[in-house]
């Protein structure tokens, strides 16, 4: 099972935009959940946006709704997170994660900590300055 690979990220001023991508391999036609998570220094990791490839619709944590958009390029098994109107509190390391045993996007957003056999990417840094 290959781990997800994140690209993108960087530094931007408040109000700016960034786009990060995640390349997923090893799942073939199997349905799975994927998500973007972030962790700021001294804080716990939190879920940002998730989806289940077997259903339509993405799920977002409240703090990013209306600003972040998760999209899938199914043909390439890549997932992009477009982040607009960024704020300093959005800063952190962003991780892509995938899991085969998943009960849907809503479930993954809430229960990701208890999911088994989650594959994590190495993370990419997002820094938003005020």
């Amino acid at each position: 099972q290959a781990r997800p690979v994140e690209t993108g990220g960087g530094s931007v001023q408040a109000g700016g935009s960034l786009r990060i991508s995640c390349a997923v391999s090893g799942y073939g036609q199997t349905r799975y959940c994927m998500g973007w998570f972030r962790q700021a220094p001294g804080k716990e990791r939190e879920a940002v946006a998730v989806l289940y490839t077997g259903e339509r619709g993405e799920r977002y944590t409240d703090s990013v709704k209306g600003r972040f958009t998760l999209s899938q390029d199914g043909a390439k098994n890549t997932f992009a997170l477009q982040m607009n109107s960024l704020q300093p509190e959005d800063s952190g390391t962003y991780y892509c994660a995938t899991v085969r045993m998943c009960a849907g996007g809503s479930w993954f957003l809430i229960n990701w900590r208890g999911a088994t056999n989650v594959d994590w990417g190495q993370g990419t840094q997002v820094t938003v300055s005020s």
Side-chain angles (χ1 to χ4, degrees):
Q1 184 69 40
R3 75 185 315 182
V5 178
E6 303 100 336
T7 57
S11 298
V12 67
Q13 289 190 327
S17 298
L18 284 174
R19 184 180 180 91
I20 53 179
S21 294
C22 174
V24 176
S25 61
Y27 282 89
Q29 298 300 311
T30 303
R31 304 299 188 186
Y32 58 94
C33 280
M34 72 77 55
W36 284 102
F37 301 78
R38 65 187 179 190
Q39 188 168 16
K43 294 188 176 180
E44 291 188 353
R45 189 170 298 187
E46 63 173 343
V48 176
V50 304
L51 64 80
Y52 175 55
T53 61
E55 66 187 16
R56 299 184 66 179
E58 301 76 38
R59 308 290 185 267
Y60 301 90
T61 193
D62 287 346
S63 63
V64 306
K65 286 180 181 178
R67 300 188 299 122
F68 289 15
T69 302
L70 173 60
S71 61
Q72 176 186 5
D73 182 345
K76 298 182 180 180
N77 277 331
T78 58
F79 302 85
L81 186 66
Q82 178 67 39
M83 303 180 290
N84 299 328
S85 301
L86 283 162
Q87 299 301 316
E89 52 267 32
D90 294 315
S91 296
T93 302
Y94 282 68
Y95 298 90
C96 178
T98 58
V99 62
R100 191 181 302 271
M101 295 179 64
C102 180
S106 296
W107 176 89
F108 193 41
L109 187 67
I110 298 172
N111 298 291
W112 63 272
R113 292 180 181 84
T116 57
N117 298 319
V118 179
D119 292 310
W120 292 92
Q122 80 285 354
T124 186
Q125 185 67 34
V126 171
T127 303
V128 185
S129 58
S130 56

